Amino acid sequence: MSKIKVGVVGTGFIGPAHIEALRRLPNVEVVALCEVNIELATAKAAQLGIERPCTFDQLLAMEDIACVHICTPNFLHYSQSKAALLAGKHVVCEKPLAKDLHEAEELVALAKETGLVNAVHFNLRYYPLVRQMKTMREKGDLGEIYSIIGSYLQDWLFYNTDYNWRLEPDKSGDSRAIADIGSHLMDIIEYITGLKTVEVMADFNTVHKTRKKPLKPVETYSGKMLQPEDYADVEINTEDTANVLLRFDNGNKGLVTVSQVSAGRKNQLKLEISGSNKTFAWNSEAPNELWLGNRDAANQVLMRDPSLAYAEARDIMTFPGGHNEGFPDTSKQLFKEVYAAVAAGKQPENPTFPTFADGYRELLICERILDSHRSQSWTKV
């Protein structure tokens, strides 16, 4: 069987996560790895067991590469996705799709024009119980949606000595917590409920107005063992936390909180969706359990188990009940759908996976949230 050859750009936290997930697909082979210079690419390729280290231009010139994964800092997503599409490559891009709406709009149009497969890595949709909630809502189990409460909490920027390129607006954009993790939360809410967010009211807070930037390189989520003289003071003007009130197109309302400074919350997305029949509650740090709340009967906990789930959710389960699936499995399941499209050679008419259009949608919501915070008023999406 000839395998689809893939090149991955970027080797921070998420690049290797893409590589590991891709290696679990039988019809895909990661053959090229791109970094900012050939020396770093060579070192990382050796570490990750990839045969061709390369620069970005070299990667685009490789005729046998069918698909490129963009896993670089945010400010590079637009230019690299555009260049890959123009080179005739299918593209999987990390979120956010671009730094602003104009860039994202151009990428959506270009992807449509080329007909190439385009996807954005909103992998959290691919927890099986997220798909189960979506399917239960579609089948009427939830009923009319009354309210939505969501949060996404992390602690990796808890200390003022915690530092990463995401803290620098020229690399990550004018929003941080909302753009980085709020985008996942807003995407998953609209994905499960089928509702559109039509208006937002936001309030941001920067807890650490000055941070200490390491003068030595430090990778995302790695332990930091530096001395006081190894830091420089940097003024911070992006949000550590954000609270957002939401209005939906069914006339009902919700609210979300995001934080990157909540001690002990490593990577916790929580949802509580209340409907006229029952309530769904789910937590990404315990992703194999779904709480189902009832008014007139005992509450229930549904374990992730193919024999207990709807067929649509069963499609993205690999292991039997009790054999837990987690974060690495979400990317595998997303890529399984993407590479079925790549094998067919074109973007499907109704893709099951998140596309550049979904990337544009989340960027739009996040920009309106930022506008709302700046104006301290309700803002239409």
Side-chain angles (χ1 to χ4, degrees), residues 210-329:
T210 305
R211 284 182 180 266
K212 298 191 174 297
K213 180 178 181 177
L215 301 173
K216 299 174 179 178
V218 177
E219 290 184 351
T220 307
Y221 295 127
S222 64
K224 302 170 180 67
M225 308 281 287
L226 301 181
Q227 303 306 310
E229 62 274 14
D230 295 326
Y231 296 100
D233 285 350
V234 174
E235 197 177 314
I236 301 299
N237 48 26
T238 54
E239 75 279 7
D240 289 315
T241 70
N243 299 294
V244 190
L245 297 174
L246 307 169
R247 290 174 178 164
F248 298 104
D249 60 354
N250 74 340
N252 286 327
K253 310 194 177 169
L255 62 106
V256 295
T257 295
V258 299
S259 169
Q260 294 177 319
V261 291
S262 294
R265 296 302 185 197
K266 301 305 173 187
N267 189 47
Q268 185 199 69
L269 186 154
K270 275 180 93 169
L271 288 173
E272 189 136 331
I273 303 169
S274 296
S276 55
N277 293 338
K278 59 178 80 247
T279 294
F280 297 160
W282 181 79
N283 164 12
S284 70
E285 287 187 346
N288 292 279
E289 294 180 7
L290 171 61
W291 184 86
L292 302 170
N294 301 298
R295 168 65 193 260
D296 297 318
N299 297 330
Q300 299 162 291
V301 175
L302 173 66
M303 299 291 289
R304 183 209 59 80
D305 184 333
S307 69
L308 301 175
Y310 282 128
E312 292 87 340
R314 201 180 305 136
D315 284 347
I316 57 169
M317 297 183 194
T318 300
F319 298 105
H323 298 74
N324 286 343
E325 291 177 287
F327 181 83
D329 300 280

Side-chain angles (χ1 to χ4, degrees), residues 4-8 22 29 59 64-69 84 88-92 117 338-339 342:
I4 298 164
K5 291 186 166 54
V6 177
V8 173
L22 288 164
E29 186 181 9
L59 176 65
D64 61 341
I65 298 288
C67 188
V68 171
H69 285 238
K89 313 293 187 194
H90 305 290
V91 178
V92 177
V117 175
V338 169
Y339 279 90
V342 171

